[in-house]
Amino acid sequence: MNITVIGSGAMGCLFGGLLAEAGANVYLLDIWKEHVKSLNELGVSITSNGQQRYIPVQATIDPAEISSTDLALVFVKHAQTSKAAATAAGLIGRHGAILTLQNGMGNAEILATAVGEGQVICGTTAQGAMLLGPGKIQHSGTGKTSIGMWEGATHPLLGDVATMFNDAAIDTTITTEIKPVLWRKLFANVGINAITALTGIRNGELVDLAETENLVRLVVKEALEVAKAYQIPVEPDALEHVFTIARATATNRSSMGQDIDAGRLTEIDAINGYIVRLARAHGIKTPINQTLCALIKTLESHQQ
Ligand code: PAF
């Protein structure tokens, strides 16, 4: 299968690298020239459990260099999804598919406006990765990946994508009900990302102090109330699952933490901001999510 990864940061490199290692024909697309140069010259460097390996990949900053793509795997940040949608639509034509495993809500809707309804596959992953430098990442957490159609009938590539991911040791299942799965991941991002970004800690450190753990509980409980108001099916262990993810990715700095550390804009609007907007429309109060949004936005506006 010909795969183009659009947005080849930590997660894009992890998936692209593992898929290339398993035999897929992978092109990594990114705007960071030094990173792309290193990927072409050395391959993607993945450090996992203290072991480093290089996996040969092709990389480019120019989508025009990529000829045929069956699957566009979108890993850009939420704010770049519209641009990625246009690029993906140009690459996959009428028969390919887009898969988004991005954090936050609203990405599948944006992608679906650029292609046909049945061409968007979406899902979540509990894999974690950190960018160490140009061409180099650390694989900092493993866990399940779930994928399913956003809307419309099953795409012919859906099964092939799951098989290919599993062949690449990315433990993947297909689900017919993807929306509750997206919400389950949203709860984790609501509880983990902003707090780790603001405090500088790693995911596993969220449980070191009772006060921090309690803050995670409070912010996720607000999101659970919003989900209930919108009649989203929620598993009974949804809150505890947030801590399971934090522990499974203990050494990881959350993606929002990495964004703040690197002086980039974050995905706060698609995570805690999404909860605040939905809550407001239903007259629900979410003061903790609101506070975390305000603090992250304050940080964003003061970084160069
Ligand atoms: O955004 C992230 O960093 C990840 O989604 C997760 C699962 C919280 C692990 O760091």
Side-chain angles (χ1 to χ4, degrees), residues 103 125 185 188-189 192-193 203 245 249 252-256:
N103 276 338
T125 183
K185 175 73 185 293
N189 292 131
I192 296 172
N193 292 31
N203 295 357
I245 293 189
T249 57
N252 204 29
R253 183 100 174 94
S254 73
S255 55
M256 198 176 289

Side-chain angles (χ1 to χ4, degrees), residues 51-84:
Q51 306 276 340
Q52 186 189 16
R53 66 192 197 280
Y54 283 93
I55 301 159
V57 286
Q58 308 173 88
T60 182
I61 56 164
D62 182 6
E65 275 183 26
I66 306 167
S67 48
S68 119
T69 296
D70 304 305
L71 180 73
L73 179 49
V74 177
F75 266 123
V76 296
K77 297 287 173 185
H78 175 72
Q80 281 94 49
T81 304
S82 297
K83 192 159 178 251

Side-chain angles (χ1 to χ4, degrees), residues 151-163:
E151 251 146 26
T154 290
H155 192 281
L157 283 180
L158 181 64
D160 296 344
V161 171
T163 304

